[in-house]
Amino acid sequence: MEIGVALALCGAAVAVFMACMGSAYGIFVAADAASGVLSEDPEKFGKMLILAALPGTQGIYGLLAGIYIMNKIQLFGDVLAVSTPVGWQLLFAALPIAFVGLVSGIAQGKTCVGSIFLVAKKPDELGKGIILPAMVETYAVFALLASILMVNAIKI
Amino acid sequence: MGAELEKVRIVAIHDTLDAVIRRIAFMNDFELITDESTSTSGDSYCETMISETRDLLKKIEPIQSYIDEHAKDPRGFIEGFLDPRKSISYDVLKQRAQLFPIHEVLETFTETHQLVTSLEHSHTTLQEQIVTLEKWKHFPIQHYDDVFDFEHFRLLVVSVPQKISHEFQKELLKEQYLLFDDFHHDKHSVYFCILLEKQSTFLERISHAIPFTYRDIPHWEGDVSVYLSTLYQRLMSLTKKLGYHCKKLRSYTTHKKEVQSLHDYLKIQETELIVSQYAQKTEYTTALSGWIPRHRYAQLQTLLKKVAKEIILEKVRVAKEEKLPVYIENKPQWRPFEIITYIYGAPNPKEFDPTLFLAPFFIVFFGMCLSDAGYGLSLIVLSWYLIKRYDLPPGGLKLMRLFIYGGVATIIVGIITGGYFALDQSILPSFLLRLKILDPINDPITMLIISLILGITQILFGTIISFFENIHKKRYADAYLDSMVWFLFLSSIVVYIVGSFLHVVWIVAVFSKVILVGALVLILTQGRHKKNVIMKFFSGLISLYKLSGYLGDVLSYSRLLALGMTSAVVGMIVNLIAGMVKGFPIVGVVLTAVIFVFGHLLNLIVSVMGAFIHTTRLQLVEFFGKFFEGGGKFFKPFQFSLKYHKIE
């Protein structure tokens, strides 16, 4: 039985849902801390908004990887007849961004909480507060790159 | 780069100082220097006046908070987001505050307030008493204190859960000489027992099998029901009294205007006294220092002349190490973009104002994130309506104008991508379809490439800006060896990638060499700050790692595609659901319209929020990171911070 398409979709799904879970949790912890800061000083809303939104990148990367896979198997037109081994390949190719998206999203969220406390005490240091969580994001970028390179190279 | 600031000093005679302070506040363009070191030591007169003012403010707090709570102005949903303060002139405020007989009013108010509080307390206690006694209505033993007097008998009251009360009764029946009965049922049955002293241990014994709880007997006099009815009567008269005095208390809300004016007037007095504390004083004069935009100097002069002839306004030379505040001023059409700059923080005084640089990118990216002509039009209409209908504060006004610009960009992107409220292609007229060049849903890769190209453009532009910033700050080495080198290196990588993509052989051949040369230059130059040669070399090598940072930055721009797609897809789903209910009899069309309107409205709000946040994030994180140093302080004009009024 050819389950290639199912496996490919599984890959796309896993990339999307795991990375988005990471972002959702990351933004939750960051926004939680931001509300605490705003209860003391509502003037800082803009800065808090930016810092709380930073962990959102992983979800976007996961979505991108998912879309790339969906595009590869031409899901939105006539779905290609994907053989089972190729389906497995696509599933494995999705794993880097899936796992790294999940873990780095959570990690970046926690780093953003630290930045939020930094900016709460020293509002002029927003730049430094942004750079630190952005370093966590680098690894999500590498994972996305790995996933995309793999998907790109797979021959249906 | 913002307005040039002038440091000035105002010298006035003591009794004109208050008027001077008010004029400065009214101008709303003067930043007061409140550096502690310029003030003379403890002015005892000021200090006593300040504490007197603060005492009075504290005294009026009870009536003020009562009025705040019970005489609120009804406010609509949107008004809730706006500034509730009313405009008023200083003279009217002062008159209202000074004519109001605050002390008499306060005396009678406090009296009534205290009476009401104690009546409310008694009312609550009485109610609780009644609720408790209601349960004891059927207690058969009157004058129970008589029973307590017996030497050999005890009276106990226990309650048992309804379910096991039968068992409990059975146990009690086993004991001789034990009188009991139940007198109250709800979730528990409550029993009283009269038993001999020596039988007391009996209950302990059965407590293992049957969980009962002892109850305390509340106090009453004589017959329970009679006592209860007297309590009810007392409650009625108390309620009447409470109603009467509450009405009296409520009448104090008629003093709302006067009390609020008094509060704000006292706040102005307090601020004036605090400011005069920061001022340098001699026997007859006071001097205030501050910052003002150069083009407003003449206006300040005229304003001060109106207060008194003898006031001196002079320019002060700025010391070299002194930190100027940063006054951002752009042409009116660019001002809405200042919101983004304000979020990040002030540039330091030597830097460029980044507002103009981010403006075109912001608009394009916003349009790409929203990417539906129908939404763009709705956004413009809504923002325009809010501007016309409501008296928005300056920040809100800027935001609405920003949305209008964004709306225009969104319409353009919407036309290019064929998005009109996410409606299906077949419904659209053909001339619109001809304008549709891109299709993000069916061909996301093209949109992705466009987003990345825009990202590369903005990042390279950021590098160019950093080159010019360095030149401006006279850091020539950094300009050429950092900014220019990285710009050339990155550009050559871009050219190489484009060349290899388009299969232009000579570009590939030439630029692969250029990139190698570039990498070599980087290795040689990036470590120039280090001390010894080996460290210089390693630092240079490690600096190539920054390339991964640039890669991450470029990929970050892929969110433009992601956001554009999601808002389009959600729109399509709204249309799908609206289409499904069309078949319903009678209400079908109405339901379709309702789902269409509210679904797209919700999607519009969520997508606009997402577009704003992510576009701003791209400017602040990926773009500003290339050239913005920051660390400045925004110019903060002196203002009274009043609770209820705005002085005009």
Side-chain angles (χ1 to χ4, degrees):
Chain A
M1 191 180 71
E2 287 285 336
I3 53 168
V5 176
L7 288 171
L9 283 180
C10 185
V14 161
V16 173
F17 81 71
M18 285 180 72
C20 287
M21 278 166 62
S23 271
Y25 187 82
I27 294 185
F28 145 58
V29 286
D32 215 12
S35 328
V37 171
L38 290 175
S39 71
E40 297 274 325
D41 184 6
E43 298 289 310
K44 296 197 170 72
F45 181 61
K47 298 184 162 73
M48 292 296 125
L49 194 59
I50 297 301
L51 286 172
L54 280 180
T57 318
Q58 280 80 0
I60 294 178
Y61 290 168
L63 181 65
L64 234 69
I67 291 176
Y68 203 67
I69 294 177
M70 288 187 240
N71 199 50
K72 184 96 186 173
I73 65 172
Q74 285 180 21
L75 192 64
F76 300 119
D78 284 317
V79 181
L80 294 175
V82 180
S83 65
T84 309
V86 172
W88 281 111
Q89 287 171 19
L90 287 169
L91 175 56
F92 285 129
L95 295 184
I97 188 59
F99 282 101
V100 175
L102 176 65
V103 175
S104 74
I106 297 175
Q108 193 171 13
K110 295 187 178 171
T111 320
C112 284
V113 171
S115 290
I116 285 173
F117 292 151
L118 164 66
V119 171
K121 295 215 176 116
K122 295 228 188 307
D124 293 327
E125 302 298 345
L126 180 65
K128 299 189 171 75
I130 287 177
I131 290 177
L132 293 174
M135 296 201 292
V136 181
E137 212 174 284
T138 314
Y139 296 94
V141 172
F142 290 161
L144 178 68
L145 202 59
S147 287
I148 293 205
L149 285 175
M150 284 197 261
V151 174
N152 205 31
I154 291 172
K155 297 195 193 344
I156 305 278
Chain B
M1 209 187 321
E4 288 291 314
L5 290 177
E6 193 78 69
K7 189 175 181 188
V8 296
R9 175 160 39 228
I10 302 173
V11 184
I13 303 183
H14 286 318
D15 44 3
T16 53
L17 183 67
D18 289 346
V20 168
I21 294 174
R22 284 197 294 276
R23 289 290 187 285
I24 297 175
F26 174 67
M27 233 193 129
N28 200 26
D29 233 347
F30 184 96
E31 177 174 333
L32 206 55
I33 294 178
T34 55
D35 189 358
E36 302 293 337
S37 66
T38 65
S39 70
T40 48
S41 60
D43 184 339
S44 56
Y45 172 72
C46 265
E47 278 168 19
T48 29
M49 288 299 287
I50 291 180
S51 59
E52 265 182 41
T53 318
R54 289 194 174 141
D55 280 340
L56 187 53
L57 275 167
K58 246 183 123 185
K59 262 210 205 143
I60 67 169
E61 217 226 292
I63 188 172
Q64 186 200 332
S65 54
Y66 179 81
I67 290 179
D68 278 350
E69 213 185 296
H70 291 93
K72 278 200 271 256
D73 284 325
R75 309 185 79 221
F77 174 69
I78 296 193
E79 269 129 354
F81 292 100
L82 303 175
D83 188 354
R85 298 182 302 173
K86 303 194 239 319
S87 288
I88 195 172
S89 80
Y90 176 73
D91 296 313
V92 172
L93 187 78
K94 180 171 173 184
Q95 199 184 35
R96 268 199 212 150
Q98 288 183 331
L99 290 179
F100 185 56
I102 180 66
H103 294 284
E104 291 91 24
V105 174
L106 209 54
E107 221 181 287
T108 50
F109 173 81
T110 322
E111 229 183 271
T112 319
H113 193 242
Q114 278 173 350
L115 186 60
V116 167
T117 321
S118 74
L119 281 177
E120 273 173 350
H121 183 76
S122 315
H123 190 265
T124 324
T125 330
L126 198 57
Q127 272 184 322
E128 283 168 4
Q129 225 183 345
I130 290 178
V131 166
T132 323
L133 270 188
E134 277 285 340
K135 299 198 185 129
W136 292 77
K137 251 201 323 215
H138 301 291
F139 191 67
I141 304 174
Q142 308 307 323
H143 309 282
Y144 65 85
D145 355 320
D146 301 340
V147 185
F148 272 140
D149 271 347
F150 285 132
E151 235 180 88
H152 303 284
F153 285 94
R154 280 181 68 197
L155 170 67
L156 291 172
V157 176
V158 298
S159 77
V160 183
Q162 195 63 278
K163 291 185 280 199
I164 36 182
S165 73
H166 259 319
E167 281 180 54
F168 189 60
Q169 279 191 3
K170 277 207 299 219
E171 289 293 325
L172 290 176
L173 285 170
K174 287 190 200 149
E175 270 290 304
Q176 279 187 323
Y177 310 121
L178 180 72
L179 216 72
F180 72 91
D181 201 2
D182 60 346
F183 64 90
H184 180 68
H185 307 270
D186 47 37
K187 283 191 298 211
H188 303 260
S189 287
V190 190
Y191 291 87
F192 71 89
C193 313
I194 301 178
L195 30 62
L196 296 168
E197 269 300 335
K198 50 187 177 168
Q199 287 175 313
S200 315
T201 52
F202 159 73
L203 281 173
E204 307 303 318
R205 270 186 278 132
I206 63 170
S207 68
H208 302 291
I210 304 192
F212 60 81
T213 11
Y214 288 106
R215 293 267 175 233
D216 284 326
I217 307 176
H219 174 80
W220 67 80
E221 283 149 16
D223 188 283
V224 182
S225 16
V226 170
Y227 190 70
L228 253 182
S229 53
T230 53
L231 284 187
Y232 273 114
Q233 276 182 345
R234 241 200 273 168
L235 188 67
M236 251 182 24
S237 73
L238 198 62
T239 315
K240 266 211 288 234
K241 239 170 124 181
L242 191 59
Y244 170 75
H245 285 285
C246 267
K247 249 175 69 176
K248 243 178 90 175
L249 199 61
R250 211 163 286 257
S251 71
Y252 283 91
T253 55
T254 53
H255 297 300
K256 180 166 115 168
K257 276 208 289 226
E258 286 83 0
V259 170
Q260 289 183 343
S261 303
L262 180 62
H263 173 270
D264 281 350
Y265 177 71
L266 288 173
K267 272 290 185 193
I268 292 182
Q269 301 285 82
E270 186 194 9
T271 314
E272 285 169 3
L273 288 164
I274 292 175
V275 168
S276 72
Q277 272 199 319
Y278 288 121
Q280 292 166 295
K281 291 198 194 62
T282 63
E283 206 179 324
Y284 295 107
T285 64
T286 317
L288 289 172
S289 312
W291 302 97
I292 188 167
R294 202 160 281 167
H295 55 83
R296 299 269 263 160
Y297 182 81
Q299 193 183 6
L300 180 61
Q301 230 168 7
T302 349
L303 220 57
L304 289 175
K305 282 282 178 279
K306 285 207 205 124
V307 176
K309 292 198 309 293
E310 310 83 31
I311 297 183
I312 299 174
L313 174 68
E314 57 185 14
K315 302 190 184 179
V316 177
R317 211 154 39 102
V318 180
K320 238 187 161 191
E321 325 77 46
E322 200 167 350
K323 239 185 155 198
L324 285 87
V326 174
Y327 191 100
I328 295 208
E329 195 173 43
N330 290 294
K331 293 215 190 62
Q333 58 264 42
W334 303 118
R335 287 223 189 106
F337 298 98
E338 288 171 1
I339 297 178
I340 320 294
T341 315
Y342 270 93
I343 291 180
Y344 196 77
N348 68 52
K350 303 194 205 72
E351 280 189 315
F352 300 146
D353 175 10
T355 311
L356 287 176
F357 300 138
L358 67 90
F361 292 106
F362 188 92
I363 285 303
V364 170
F365 296 165
F366 189 92
M368 286 179 72
C369 287
L370 209 47
S371 80
D372 185 296
Y375 286 178
L377 192 62
S378 317
L379 189 59
I380 293 179
V381 168
L382 279 169
S383 309
W384 203 75
Y385 172 71
L386 286 174
I387 292 179
K388 288 292 173 202
R389 168 81 171 75
Y390 293 99
D391 181 19
L392 296 170
L397 213 56
K398 279 188 195 173
L399 186 64
M400 291 302 124
R401 293 221 179 95
L402 192 64
F403 281 157
I404 292 181
Y405 290 156
V408 172
T410 311
I411 292 180
I412 296 175
V413 176
I415 293 176
I416 294 178
T417 58
Y420 303 89
F421 289 113
L423 290 170
D424 199 55
Q425 304 303 304
S426 45
I427 305 182
L428 300 173
S430 60
F431 79 89
L432 286 175
L433 279 175
R434 261 182 279 131
L435 291 168
K436 174 174 169 176
I437 309 171
L438 299 164
D439 189 347
I441 309 277
N442 295 318
D443 178 21
I445 304 299
T446 315
M447 267 311 249
L448 178 63
I449 294 177
I450 294 178
S451 312
L452 296 181
I453 290 176
L454 284 168
I456 294 172
T457 314
Q458 189 172 38
I459 291 173
L460 285 177
F461 188 56
T463 337
I464 296 179
I465 297 177
S466 87
F467 174 74
F468 284 109
E469 286 265 21
N470 278 324
I471 300 277
H472 181 75
K473 290 178 193 160
K474 300 206 179 20
R475 304 214 289 244
Y476 298 108
D478 287 345
Y480 288 100
L481 296 180
D482 280 334
S483 312
M484 187 48 73
V485 169
W486 271 106
F487 173 72
L488 293 172
F489 183 61
L490 292 170
S491 315
S492 43
I493 293 181
V494 173
V495 174
Y496 175 81
I497 292 178
V498 171
S500 61
F501 197 65
L502 296 174
H503 302 297
V504 181
V505 182
W506 69 267
I507 290 186
V508 173
V510 171
F511 275 86
S512 54
K513 309 282 187 307
V514 174
I515 292 175
L516 283 173
V517 170
L520 201 62
V521 173
L522 278 173
I523 297 175
L524 290 174
T525 57
Q526 295 304 295
R528 63 184 185 277
H529 299 293
K530 295 283 191 258
K531 297 237 176 66
N532 65 56
V533 186
I534 300 185
M535 283 311 294
K536 283 195 213 271
F537 178 72
F538 271 118
S539 271
L541 207 56
I542 291 172
S543 76
L544 285 175
Y545 178 72
K546 260 172 64 168
L547 208 53
S548 70
Y550 281 104
L551 178 66
D553 290 341
V554 172
L555 277 173
S556 207
Y557 286 84
S558 60
R559 68 188 66 220
L560 297 174
L561 163 73
L563 287 166
M565 276 187 81
T566 47
S567 71
V569 170
V570 174
M572 275 166 41
I573 293 177
V574 169
N575 290 340
L576 195 69
I577 298 177
M580 286 200 288
V581 297
K582 220 169 16 173
F584 282 19
I586 309 169
V587 286
V589 187
V590 177
L591 219 53
T592 310
V594 167
I595 293 177
F596 186 84
V597 169
F598 280 102
H600 282 298
L601 188 64
L602 189 63
N603 192 23
L604 177 69
I605 294 174
V606 171
S607 300
V608 166
M609 283 203 305
F612 182 79
I613 292 175
H614 286 282
T615 311
T616 306
R617 172 246 147 83
L618 284 173
Q619 308 307 308
L620 299 185
V621 180
E622 274 80 21
F623 186 48
F624 277 20
K626 302 290 169 290
F627 61 88
F628 196 94
E629 242 176 55
K633 199 167 61 83
F634 278 118
F635 179 86
K636 196 164 185 284
F638 174 73
Q639 262 300 319
F640 292 121
S641 59
L642 303 177
K643 195 170 173 187
Y644 303 104
H645 299 97
K646 285 188 288 210
I647 305 289
E648 54 180 27

